[in-house]
Amino acid sequence: MEKQVYDEKNGLWYELHGDYYLPCLTVPPEEQRPIGVWGQWHLRYIRQHRKALYTQLQITGKLNGYLADLNEQAEAMFFELVKQLAAREGVTEQLKAQNQMLWVHRMNNIRDRAMEAVNNDLIYA
């Protein structure tokens, strides 16, 4: 028996393992981009709660790119929300110079609300 055979009907190569021919399948190489904290949180979420999406992205080789794009969107949304909320609530550099503790309190509150919005809209959606 031949070690490898080619099936012209479906265009696949098969390799002999024991008594059976198994298809020679490979996952396409995936683009390597850094994944930040938002992407890692989303990865954990889709592994646990959206297994079909996770498997599809992994099989097609698009998981890393998907997570890197989501991470970039989440970062941009977070920083934009922080900037908008700080401007709307009057948290400025002048307040920082006058009363640092009040500024820190308000900025922490703004950051927490922005993080919650990003989590609800992108990470755990």
Side-chain angles (χ1 to χ4, degrees):
M1 296 179 92
E2 295 179 41
K3 183 78 174 156
Q4 287 189 338
V5 294
Y6 179 73
D7 185 1
E8 293 178 11
K9 292 180 185 176
N10 60 17
L12 293 176
W13 282 93
Y14 291 86
E15 189 171 329
L16 183 64
H17 291 277
D19 293 336
Y20 301 99
Y21 281 104
L22 300 176
C24 300
L25 301 175
T26 59
V27 176
E30 192 170 349
E31 175 187 1
Q32 293 300 316
R33 291 171 44 199
I35 299 171
V37 67
W38 301 102
Q40 292 173 9
W41 289 346
H42 188 66
L43 174 62
R44 187 175 342 143
Y45 171 74
I46 63 173
R47 267 191 196 150
Q48 292 175 358
H49 302 285
R50 309 233 4 237
K51 294 178 183 180
L53 174 64
Y54 173 71
T55 303
Q56 177 192 7
L57 290 170
Q58 205 171 27
I59 289 173
T60 58
K62 297 179 181 177
L63 180 63
N64 188 275
Y66 169 79
L67 293 173
D69 289 342
L70 183 122
N71 188 70
E72 291 172 6
Q73 290 174 356
E75 278 186 15
M77 182 179 178
F78 175 75
F79 288 125
E80 186 63 30
L81 280 171
V82 168
K83 187 170 77 173
Q84 289 175 356
L85 289 170
R88 186 171 65 194
E89 295 177 17
V91 180
T92 62
E93 291 296 319
Q94 182 181 3
L95 176 64
K96 184 178 181 181
Q98 292 172 351
N99 190 343
Q100 290 180 352
M101 291 304 290
L102 179 61
W103 182 86
V104 168
H105 172 71
R106 287 187 178 176
M107 282 304 291
N108 283 341
N109 185 292
I110 288 169
R111 288 176 48 87
D112 289 343
R113 287 185 286 153
M115 186 175 287
E116 185 175 340
V118 172
N119 283 337
N120 287 335
D121 294 347
L122 291 177
I123 305 304
Y124 303 116

